[in-house]
Amino acid sequence: MRPQAIAAVGRVHQSPHGNPTGAHATARRARRWLEEARESVAALAGRDPVEVCFTSGGTEADDLAVSGFAERGTVVCGATEHHAVLYPTDRAGGRVVAVGPDGGIDLDALAEALDPSVALVSVMLANNETGRVTDLDAVAAVVTEHAPEARLHTDAVQAGAWLDLDVAASAADLVSLSAHKLGGPMGIGALVARRQAEPPPRVLGGGQERGRRSGTQNVAGAVGFAAAAEALGAERPAMVERIRGLRDRMEDELMAAIDSVTSTVPRRHRLPGTCHLVIDGVSAESMIVLLDEAGIAASAASSCASGAAGASHVLSAMGRDLGAASTVRLSLGWCSTPDEVDHVLDALPGIVDGLRARRSTTARA
Ligand code: PLP
């Protein structure tokens, strides 16, 4: 978490505050904090505060959009979406559109999947495994031509930390965000929906969030989310430059030091913090364990699904048959340092050599 977010969450927990729906002074204080937080999150998304509906995170925001619109018509999504979009689409009997070998949604296949029955098209702004960024304007043009009544939703959970959403997500009617991807606390997110594109509520009860999502709001979470969003907004261009430089150096040097390594997505289509490599002749599981022992928190696929050790639906959708190869994802964040990159460069080539040597010894025996 960013220090500003930690401090902001602490300030809320340390001050007496009531339920933001109440009438007394402590409740009004909570309500003021919540509404100020809404303004900061809206500013991050380049939208109006009234469009921000706080949720428990990205998963709930995705489900609110997809399952909500499934009540109104057919839902269509891309094959590499996070399961928070894929599973509700599947449950609703929706359509899943193929992606190309570089992970980008196939616009011809999208056009074929659209008709007047479609209520929502959901295409993520950036993929959580590969970092593949979508040109949402191109997607919106296809939607406008083939299903003009449909709304466009984007899962911007990964993109929020890196891209100017005001520009990159402007074509979307609904945008999902999660605080923990941008240095805020876990357990808070938002669905930002234009007034004419609000989904029907999923959680009914006290009518909070203008009836869009009932339940007493997570005031400390929202304030922490806002503090992270403000800190990010102030430093984004410099941070993106710095992290892109570190990521490029790490990737270039790993590719020079290790034979038979490829990247899943070209850099020009990728988020600045993602390095996702395919390495021949090693087991992902052993590599991740050895990296962990070296103090490096890497993953093979996504980190936000329980039991993520299984095959990646993202790579299969891209037509990547891994055979004897494995993937490793080394994601950098706002607080990554040159020393950490050096540590990866010291550790990973030796780990790969060791695993390959062990494999060839076992094969000979
Ligand atoms: N969407 C994407 C692209 C993600 O990477 C994640 C996971 O982190 C989610 C949705 C789920 O968000 P959350 O963990 O806030 O529920």
Side-chain angles (χ1 to χ4, degrees):
M1 272 172 75
R2 290 172 182 272
Q4 298 91 331
I6 296 172
V9 170
R11 269 198 306 278
V12 173
H13 282 307
Q14 281 157 14
S15 333
H17 63 284
N19 186 322
T21 52
H24 43 66
T26 52
R28 290 200 304 275
R29 178 186 301 146
R31 190 152 64 242
R32 180 163 50 77
W33 288 339
L34 187 66
E35 295 316 316
E36 285 169 2
R38 200 182 303 281
E39 285 174 21
S40 301
V41 172
L44 175 77
R47 301 288 167 107
D48 199 281
V50 78
E51 299 179 9
V52 174
C53 172
F54 284 114
T55 63
S56 62
T59 301
E60 191 193 333
D62 285 345
D63 179 68
L64 180 56
V66 174
S67 299
F69 271 87
E71 291 178 22
R72 296 183 178 154
T74 306
V75 174
V76 174
C77 77
T80 55
E81 293 296 311
H82 191 274
H83 287 124
V85 167
L86 273 175
Y87 287 158
T89 301
D90 183 50
R91 182 177 53 192
R95 301 171 190 161
V96 177
V97 174
V99 301
D102 69 354
I105 188 150
D106 179 333
L107 294 176
D108 294 330
L110 176 62
E112 269 174 40
L114 299 180
D115 61 39
S117 77
V118 175
L120 188 82
V121 176
S122 184
V123 180
M124 70 203 315
L125 187 48
N127 185 270
N128 45 305
E129 285 180 37
T130 60
R132 176 63 158 85
V133 176
T134 302
D135 173 358
L136 280 184
D137 291 333
V139 172
V142 174
V143 175
T144 307
E145 188 181 342
H146 297 273
E149 298 301 315
R151 299 297 179 187
L152 178 59
H153 166 247
T154 194
D155 175 337
V157 166
Q158 289 290 332
W162 305 103
L163 307 182
D164 181 356
L165 298 179
D166 197 4
V167 179
S170 64
D173 299 297
L174 304 101
V175 181
S176 294
L177 297 171
S178 178
H180 70 99
K181 298 296 183 200
L182 37 99
M186 292 182 196
I188 181 87
L191 180 68
V192 188
R194 296 197 200 283
R195 289 301 288 266
Q196 66 279 16
E198 282 182 5
R202 302 275 297 155
V203 184
L204 302 178
Q208 288 89 344
E209 297 296 292
R210 288 200 299 105
R212 293 167 296 183
R213 195 266 190 186
S214 287
T216 300
Q217 288 102 334
N218 174 358
V219 177
V223 169
F225 186 1
E230 285 163 24
L232 167 65
E235 71 156 18
R236 190 195 287 106
M239 188 268 287
V240 164
E241 259 333 281
R242 186 177 74 79
I243 298 301
R244 190 194 302 280
L246 282 181
R247 190 275 314 267
D248 289 356
R249 175 165 77 82
M250 179 173 77
E251 195 167 288
D252 288 344
E253 293 188 24
L254 285 176
M255 286 184 151
I258 306 172
D259 289 339
S260 306
V261 180
T262 52
S263 173
T264 52
V265 164
R267 274 184 198 163
R268 66 180 185 286
H269 290 314
R270 210 172 347 132
L271 289 177
T274 309
C275 170
H276 191 228
L277 301 174
V278 178
I279 306 184
D280 266 358
V282 289
S283 122
E285 216 174 339
S286 312
M287 184 164 50
I288 301 302
V289 168
L290 293 172
L291 283 167
D292 187 32
E293 280 172 11
I296 298 163
S299 35
S302 77
S303 61
C304 40
S306 39
S312 154
H313 72 283
V314 174
L315 291 181
S316 340
M318 289 165 64
R320 295 285 299 238
D321 174 9
L322 287 181
S326 294
T327 51
V328 63
R329 183 165 59 84
L330 298 155
S331 302
L332 283 75
W334 67 274
C335 54
S336 297
T337 65
D339 284 351
E340 288 169 346
V341 165
D342 289 340
H343 183 47
V344 171
L345 292 170
D346 283 343
L348 187 53
I351 288 174
V352 172
D353 282 350
L355 288 172
R356 283 177 176 166
R358 210 184 304 165
R359 181 174 281 220
S360 50
T361 316
T362 318
R364 273 201 304 276

